[in-house]
Amino acid sequence: MTAGVIVDPEAVPLLQSLGVDDSKKITEKKIPGMAEEIRKICFGKYKVLQINPAKYNELYGKMKNLNVLLAWTHAAVIEDLLEKQDVKLAIADKFGDEKYINDKLKTKGQAIRLIQVPKAEQNIAVAAASIQARDTLLKWSNGAKKTYGLTLPKGASSLVIQAGKSYVKEHGKDALANVAKLHFKTTEDVLRLERSTPEN
């Protein structure tokens, strides 16, 4: 999920009073309500580009580079927001060489000043965007639970690997593309463990 939010000056104190911060510092329970309030405060000035695992794996298969894929999603969000309102400055989290996003921006995007910094969530607009992205991810995760009857832990713990093994056992390894990023090492661990499990 890649998200962006345009924060006008008058929206800043409202977002601050709401407690907007890096989404990783906010509990899952609070995210949906906070995301909804951000959408009200910044009405019509936000964008979430949702790429579910199957589409992500398809795009990664074509681009073969995570930074290129991230740059494409960031540029797409920036360009969409510029259609809603002209801005002079955009701030993005730095994940690689700055040229990645800059090379993907089109005419409008090339006209703005783009700042890329590590831990950009310290900026309230980026923090608001991170909350929108996490809210969308949580909604997808809850939908996946209903669709596949499986709780999908996040990260790369043993619980994730065990859930992956259970999923592969029930749905087959090809279906793993629907719920996981296939180029991640965790996926290799799931499939390696699955292959090493003796048959009854």
Side-chain angles (χ1 to χ4, degrees), residues 21-24 93 117-128 130:
D21 200 347
D22 182 349
S23 66
K24 293 187 290 294
D93 196 44
V117 294
K119 299 181 180 179
E121 292 86 357
Q122 295 176 36
N123 177 275
I124 200 159
V126 180
S130 76

Side-chain angles (χ1 to χ4, degrees), residues 160-166 168 176 185-195:
V160 174
I161 294 173
Q162 186 58 48
K165 286 177 61 180
S166 298
V168 169
L176 198 58
K185 184 180 182 301
T186 304
T187 301
E188 294 178 14
D189 292 340
V190 168
L191 294 176
R192 180 167 56 250
L193 287 168
E194 179 63 24
R195 286 193 294 268

